[in-house]
Amino acid sequence: MLSIKNLHASIEGTPILRGINLEIKAGEVHAIMGPNGSGKSTLASVLAGREEYEVTEGAVLFQGKDLLEMAPEERAREGVFLAFQYPVEIPGVSSTNFLRTAVNQVREHRGLEALDAVKFLSLMKEKMKLVEIDQKLLSRALNEGFSGGEKKRNEIFQMAMLEPKLSILDETDSGLDIDALKVVSNGVNQLKSAENATIVVTHYQRLLDYIVPDYVHVLYKGQIVKSGTKDLALELEEKGYDWIKEEVESKAIV
Amino acid sequence: MSKDNQILEEFTSKEYEHGWSVNYEADEAPVGLNEDIIRWISVKKEEPQWLLEWRLKAFKTWQSMTEPEWANVQYPKIDLQALKYYSAPKQKSKPKSLDELDPELLAIYERLGISLNEQKRLQGIAVDAVLDSVSVATTFKETLSKLGIVFCSFSEAVKEHPELVKKYLGSVVPITDNYYAALNSAVFSDGSFCYIPKGVRCPMELSTYFRINAANTGQFERTLIVAEDESYVSYLEGCTAPQRDENQLHAAVVEIYAGAHAEVKYSTVQNWFPGDKNGKGGIYNFVTKRGICAGDHSKISWTQVETGSAVTWKYPSCILKGDHSIGEFYSVAVTNNYQQADTGTKMIHIGKNTKSRIVSKGISAGKSQNSYRGQVQVMKRATNARNFSQCDSLLMGDRCGAHTFPYIDIHNPTAKVEHEATTSKIGEDQIFYCNQRGIATEDAVALIVNGYAKEVLNQLPMEFAVEAQKLLALTLEGSVG
Ligand SMILES: Nc1ncnc2c1ncn2[C@@H]1O[C@H](COP(=O)(O)OP(=O)(O)OP(=O)(O)O)[C@@H](O)[C@H]1O
Ligand SMILES: [Mg+2]
């Protein structure tokens, strides 16, 4: 589904991603971990098409198409969804209105007819149950004055509404209380199918108890320096990143 | 150049939708401005002597005045002697009913999306259609007259209700008020008149649709709304003009009188031709609008959505004379390309326990300049006056300007006046967030801007609010994305 080859990206001339290789197949869950500043959010942003990042080398294929050629909204319509680490507030625009615009533009792209108000509201009701989000929150302006946890929950609600092929969750777990973490993970799991794939970026092994990954990758200084199974996450939880950093440095010396 | 500005640059300007004009045979005044022209207009309109004298007095006053220069706008001086002061479509005979109206004129309004056919119109809105210098049709007159409501063109009011016109004309905006108001008083040609008798709640929205068609003609209309004690009316005004290379002058006067416990809501969606992408052409919109809350517990509320005109100079104001009276001003002013707007309000608190509320949302894009100018004045007698002002500016790109000029003038220590102001930029983050959900940049901007202006748009009657939302998006299409 997603094939990243030797991806290099920089911002304002500073290289951040330095040769990422990653293959993701439909139905898989990949976890990406790594110390602060290693480039996890950058990778997510580059995949979503944020233009400040300049791709200097490499290629990304999404469902056989050149992802890097597409405008951000095209990527979204093709099925790439990013749950932001820091969701943006849009004053005066209700979540309902925002999502209706989004859902209908995505549907149009997929050759489906636009949902009328009634159909849209019933779809909302159905998806609201999935992440147990309060109707009241959705009638307020988008993310405006939402608590950190509410914003994160709203991201997953939007994901449920848009039914993406590839979801990238950037630290969706941070800021969620224990109950919310379970609810949100449960929502993500229910949305999982053999046709879609998920990338979860996290610092905490705990999330991976709920959303069980098929692979765990460690990103360090803009490269994937280690890949493994769920056990790697446990090992990191126990030992931290120092041993990996040492491994990388010693290799560099040799 | 930052990414924000790149987004702004990428879109080319959307053309003005109502820029077409039609050719019809017109009855026009000769070019120029002098006493003879004023007499010519007055004769043409078969006016009584008192009105001619009033015009001539205004003309004398105007001759002694100079064009104001304090507004934050720049434009080449208008040669007032090069304009025509009257232009009316020639109609074979004066139509007695809408059915007799020249189909050519009906078609103009149909094309603007304004149906003058009562059967076809949504119930609930009566329209007075003003084309260049004259009113061509007024709908629902009969329905309204059963309630004693008078809704007709100004010229007709002069003929049918001279006592009312004489009593109120110039009572809120005197001829000496300012340069453009004096000019308007001298040469005004038509406009709408509306009278709501005591205790009557007007059952439908009243609206006037102004259209400038003729070239080199100034449009000077005059609107007078009188709401007697305990009455209510909601009034809407819309306007468009053809796209022409030269600038055109529009200098209107609106006067509102509200008696005790009366309420008047006045809404404007102004969409005069703004000039092209390079700042060529467009309407100079120099308008004086003022209402007086004459009676106790009266209320006047102005809502305006200003999207058009090359230069706008306009301060809808309230004189809060009655005790417990309320004045409100809700405004969205959008400027793009080379447009300049200097707009705001004046709230003059004279009565006790008077309240005013100002919500102004400026949006500037392109190389435009957008200024809010507001005055809150509390007179000695106005015990417990309250004012709240919120002035927000939204910038798109870094070549436009937003300015706020609040003037506060208080002569009573019990007054409470609050002023809040914010300036924000449309964020690249917000646009990207929308993009990431599949929303195209242009639609993202429309969403963000409408969200920003929501408090004002909510004040508009439903049908107008939808129209205004589209208009905002359209005006900015081309500036941001
Ligand atoms: N405009 C910029 N100029 C220079 N460096 C930048 C710029 N923006 C981001 N960076 C750097 O890029 C690096 C990668 O940032 P990124 O947000 O991808 O890290 P992360 O792995 O998501 O970290 P965290 O775990 O803290 O979320 C950081 O060192 C950051 O400081
Ligand atoms: Mg991050």
Side-chain angles (χ1 to χ4, degrees):
Chain A
M1 169 177 291
L2 182 75
S3 162
I4 305 175
K5 290 215 166 68
N6 191 31
L7 182 66
H8 288 251
S10 50
I11 184 156
E12 285 163 20
T14 313
I16 310 285
L17 301 184
R18 301 182 304 159
I20 304 251
N21 291 292
L22 188 61
E23 292 290 329
I24 295 179
K25 294 196 186 67
E28 291 178 350
V29 175
H30 289 241
I32 296 183
M33 305 183 80
N36 293 132
S38 56
K40 304 181 296 297
S41 294
T42 303
L43 175 61
S45 296
V46 169
L47 293 178
R50 207 165 176 141
E51 278 167 43
E52 289 94 308
Y53 298 94
E54 193 197 346
V55 174
T56 50
E57 226 185 301
V60 181
L61 286 184
F62 176 63
Q63 298 185 323
K65 292 183 192 164
D66 184 350
L67 189 71
L68 301 177
E69 275 291 293
M70 297 180 209
E73 62 270 27
E74 263 180 274
R75 301 183 195 201
R77 292 169 191 172
E78 286 285 321
V80 175
F81 180 91
L82 171 59
F84 287 79
Q85 183 172 1
Y86 305 107
V88 176
E89 303 192 359
I90 306 185
V93 177
S94 73
S95 295
T96 311
N97 193 11
F98 172 78
L99 267 176
R100 191 162 164 208
T101 310
V103 166
N104 281 335
Q105 294 205 358
V106 169
R107 287 179 66 91
E108 191 185 333
H109 181 80
R110 294 177 188 168
L112 300 166
E113 63 186 67
L115 293 179
D116 61 28
V118 177
K119 284 194 185 123
F120 178 77
L121 287 176
S122 79
L123 179 70
M124 275 220 341
K125 284 237 165 63
E126 178 197 325
K127 303 293 185 182
M128 273 160 58
K129 279 196 205 114
L130 212 65
V131 287
E132 297 179 24
I133 195 164
D134 193 347
Q135 168 86 57
K136 274 191 221 127
L137 210 56
L138 299 179
S139 56
R140 279 167 52 183
L142 185 64
N143 289 330
E144 199 185 26
F146 283 23
S147 75
E150 287 169 341
K151 283 182 186 167
K152 295 302 176 71
R153 197 183 283 231
N154 190 24
E155 292 292 288
I156 301 306
F157 171 67
Q158 293 183 29
M159 168 182 153
M161 289 295 290
L162 292 166
E163 299 174 344
K165 290 272 182 300
L166 173 69
S167 304
I168 307 165
L169 313 184
D170 193 358
E171 297 198 26
T172 300
D173 53 336
S174 60
L176 289 179
D177 66 44
I178 297 162
D179 295 334
L181 182 68
K182 280 185 200 158
V183 171
V184 165
S185 310
N186 188 22
V188 172
N189 287 331
Q190 286 190 51
L191 293 168
K192 226 162 57 180
S193 76
E195 274 86 55
N196 60 27
T198 314
I199 299 175
V200 283
V201 174
T202 182
H203 286 293
Y204 306 104
Q205 172 330 98
R206 192 186 57 195
L207 175 70
L208 306 180
D209 285 340
Y210 299 109
I211 304 174
V212 183
D214 299 294
Y215 301 95
V216 174
H217 310 279
V218 178
L219 196 62
Y220 178 59
K221 290 191 175 167
Q223 287 180 319
I224 291 176
V225 292
K226 202 166 187 70
S227 296
T229 59
K230 191 177 174 299
D231 296 337
L232 177 58
L234 286 168
E235 201 176 349
L236 289 170
E237 176 96 344
E238 199 178 309
K239 302 202 267 182
Y241 289 111
D242 281 353
W243 63 283
I244 289 189
K245 290 180 189 171
E246 274 161 32
E247 250 183 51
V248 174
E249 308 303 334
S250 66
K251 262 188 217 153
I253 292 161
V254 173
Chain B
M1 192 165 35
S2 81
K3 158 82 182 314
D4 267 344
N5 297 320
Q6 242 167 26
I7 298 178
L8 303 178
E9 289 292 320
E10 271 164 24
F11 291 81
T12 53
S13 210
K14 165 100 186 177
E15 296 300 319
Y16 180 68
E17 198 187 8
H18 302 293
W20 48 273
S21 63
V22 290
N23 286 320
Y24 48 71
E25 221 188 316
D27 201 356
E28 295 183 326
V31 170
L33 178 59
N34 52 51
E35 268 197 32
D36 289 344
I37 291 287
I38 291 165
R39 286 176 201 281
W40 189 98
I41 294 171
S42 195
V43 167
K44 191 97 226 163
K45 305 190 75 67
E46 301 164 11
E47 284 176 356
Q49 186 63 24
W50 68 264
L51 191 50
L52 172 63
E53 277 160 22
W54 194 78
R55 285 177 182 276
L56 291 172
K57 199 171 134 204
F59 184 62
K60 283 232 163 60
T61 310
W62 176 77
Q63 281 178 311
S64 68
M65 296 170 117
T66 48
E67 202 174 335
E69 279 172 354
W70 45 263
N72 187 26
V73 292
Q74 267 148 25
Y75 55 91
K77 281 266 173 299
I78 310 158
D79 182 1
L80 293 170
Q81 292 302 340
L83 293 182
K84 276 176 272 186
Y85 287 83
Y86 185 88
S87 174
K90 257 195 190 133
Q91 298 185 45
K92 279 131 227 152
S93 60
K94 182 98 181 104
K96 283 190 202 64
S97 73
L98 289 171
D99 308 332
E100 290 174 26
L101 193 66
D102 190 340
E104 224 178 300
L105 296 180
L106 273 177
I108 292 179
Y109 284 88
E110 292 286 347
R111 189 162 165 193
L112 291 166
I114 315 279
S115 176
L116 297 178
N117 182 328
E118 290 184 7
Q119 269 72 49
K120 272 202 242 156
R121 275 206 69 81
L122 287 168
Q123 291 294 317
I125 300 186
V127 183
D128 183 24
V130 176
L131 187 59
D132 295 330
S133 306
V134 293
S135 162
V136 294
T138 311
T139 64
F140 292 108
K141 256 202 250 183
E142 266 105 273
T143 321
L144 294 167
S145 72
K146 282 186 194 127
L147 294 162
I149 295 170
V150 182
F151 179 47
C152 63
S153 71
F154 203 93
S155 320
E156 204 177 321
V158 170
K159 293 202 175 81
E160 311 283 328
H161 307 278
E163 68 302 335
L164 285 176
V165 176
K166 208 168 171 177
K167 182 171 174 194
Y168 292 103
L169 178 68
S171 69
V172 192
V173 180
I175 50 180
T176 50
D177 193 79
N178 69 70
Y179 185 81
Y180 300 112
L183 178 61
N184 174 287
S185 304
V187 302
F188 77 87
S189 42
D190 214 338
S192 298
F193 176 78
C194 159
Y195 177 81
I196 317 289
K198 186 168 180 211
V200 172
R201 219 189 137 79
C202 186
M204 53 177 83
E205 311 273 350
L206 301 186
S207 88
T208 302
Y209 194 89
F210 295 105
R211 169 77 177 168
I212 297 180
N213 187 73
N216 296 320
T217 306
Q219 181 156 346
F220 303 92
E221 80 277 342
R222 188 102 196 172
T223 300
L224 178 55
I225 299 172
V226 177
E228 294 281 25
D229 296 354
E230 290 143 49
S231 67
Y232 168 86
V233 64
S234 167
Y235 191 91
L236 315 171
E237 175 202 302
C239 26
T240 58
Q243 182 160 355
R244 298 191 188 280
D245 284 350
E246 68 277 8
N247 295 100
Q248 278 177 286
L249 176 62
H250 172 254
V253 171
V254 176
E255 295 179 278
I256 300 177
Y257 171 93
H261 293 272
E263 181 178 348
V264 179
K265 264 181 83 105
Y266 192 105
S267 315
T268 310
V269 175
Q270 188 261 107
N271 184 24
W272 294 119
F273 176 53
D276 69 9
K277 266 185 291 194
N278 304 313
K280 194 161 191 211
I283 301 284
Y284 290 157
N285 192 35
F286 302 147
V287 172
T288 306
K289 290 183 168 179
R290 192 175 303 145
I292 181 163
C293 286
D296 294 350
H297 297 276
S298 55
K299 180 174 174 184
I300 292 176
S301 179
W302 298 100
T303 303
Q304 60 173 23
V305 177
E306 302 282 309
T307 62
S309 297
V311 180
T312 300
W313 180 100
K314 176 179 174 191
Y315 315 90
S317 308
C318 298
I319 301 170
L320 304 171
K321 186 161 168 259
D323 292 347
H324 301 275
S325 61
I326 299 174
E328 290 177 336
F329 174 74
Y330 295 94
S331 168
V332 179
V334 192
T335 51
N336 192 3
N337 299 319
Y338 286 87
Q339 282 177 276
Q340 306 174 64
D342 193 304
T343 182
T345 184
K346 267 191 216 168
M347 294 290 175
I348 301 165
H349 294 253
I350 300 173
K352 294 186 178 55
N353 301 307
T354 46
K355 271 193 232 160
S356 62
R357 183 179 171 80
I358 298 170
V359 178
S360 161
K361 304 267 180 181
I363 302 165
S364 1
K367 294 180 181 157
S368 67
Q369 295 296 327
N370 202 325
S371 304
Y372 166 80
R373 189 181 301 278
Q375 183 176 18
V376 177
Q377 200 172 7
V378 178
M379 309 300 237
K380 234 186 183 135
R381 202 172 76 73
T383 320
N384 288 323
R386 296 279 175 276
N387 162 265
F388 174 75
S389 305
Q390 170 82 49
C391 302
D392 298 329
S393 311
L394 186 68
L395 295 168
M396 302 186 169
D398 54 9
R399 290 173 310 168
C400 52
H403 318 270
T404 306
F405 304 101
Y407 305 94
I408 296 170
D409 183 15
I410 295 174
H411 301 281
N412 184 309
T414 59
K416 277 210 183 102
V417 173
E418 286 174 78
H419 180 91
E420 282 175 18
T422 65
T423 301
S424 49
K425 262 190 126 174
I426 243 196
E428 184 191 324
D429 285 358
Q430 290 174 328
I431 292 176
F432 181 68
Y433 190 84
C434 295
N435 286 158
Q436 213 303 304
R437 299 304 185 244
I439 301 173
T441 302
E442 233 160 61
D443 299 305
V445 170
L447 264 178
I448 295 166
V449 164
N450 281 314
Y452 165 79
K454 195 174 181 185
E455 204 181 337
V456 175
L457 298 177
N458 280 349
Q459 298 294 325
L460 291 172
M462 192 57 185
E463 201 191 354
F464 249 43
V466 174
E467 202 51 39
Q469 279 192 17
K470 282 192 216 145
L471 201 56
L472 282 187
L474 211 68
T475 308
L476 290 168
E477 213 171 286
S479 69
V480 181

